[in-house]
Every structure is written in C-alpha cells, then in structure tokens.
Amino acid sequence: QIFKDKEDFKKHYLKDKAEGSKKPLVLFQGYIYDISEYIDYHPGGNDRITPFLGKDIESVFKQVEHTSAAYRIMAQLPVVG
C-alpha cells in the first residue's frame, strides 16, 4: 500500500499505535517500513532514528546524505504498508 501523503500515513500509524502496535515504523518514498530489524544496528545509534518514528523520513534521509548502501538497506527492510 502506498500512502498518498504524510497525513494518510499518520492516520495509519496512530491507528496501529492505538491498537497496541509497538513496531518502529517510518514512511519512506511512500511506503511504511518496519525498521525493528535495523534500529539497533544503525551506525549513528538508535537514538538518531527514534525521533523520526511514525514520520516521513525521506527529506532527512537525503539531508544527511546517506550512502547508496543505506538506500540498499532500506530497500531490504520489511514493507508493512
């Protein structure tokens, strides 16, 4: 499922949270990624990721100038929406 905008994702994320989901989810390029497999392995530490849970990370991802390897890692993470 591709979300049409950030608000659409936010509704989905908040609904999941209300239903008790504790999955660390982010929106990237229109897809929701479950980053639970990766969050503890982020080279900058998980504290660099947690402020962005439940948010669209595309602009910050580009702003930080992630490497092509980082884009490949994202592509391998589970898409849940």
Side-chain angles (χ1 to χ4, degrees):
Q1 174 180 1
I2 295 180
F3 293 85
K4 53 187 174 219
D5 57 31
K6 294 175 190 177
E7 289 304 312
D8 192 26
F9 167 67
K10 193 181 221 180
K11 286 181 207 169
H12 176 84
Y13 183 77
L14 293 174
K15 178 179 174 257
D16 278 3
K17 291 300 254 184
E19 293 173 358
S21 175
K22 296 184 193 273
K23 288 183 180 180
L25 304 176
V26 294
L27 180 67
F28 185 68
Q29 298 180 334
Y31 294 95
I32 296 177
Y33 287 86
D34 175 353
I35 62 168
S36 56
E37 295 176 6
Y38 181 71
I39 196 165
D40 290 329
Y41 298 100
H42 185 271
N46 67 9
D47 60 322
R48 303 292 288 177
I49 297 176
T50 53
F52 301 100
L53 296 180
K55 298 179 181 174
D56 185 340
I57 63 166
E58 190 162 358
S59 63
V60 73
F61 202 88
K62 289 178 183 176
Q63 186 179 33
V64 175
E65 298 180 1
H66 280 89
T67 64
S68 57
Y71 282 87
R72 284 193 301 275
I73 289 168
M74 282 299 298
Q76 295 172 2
L77 294 174
V79 174
V80 296

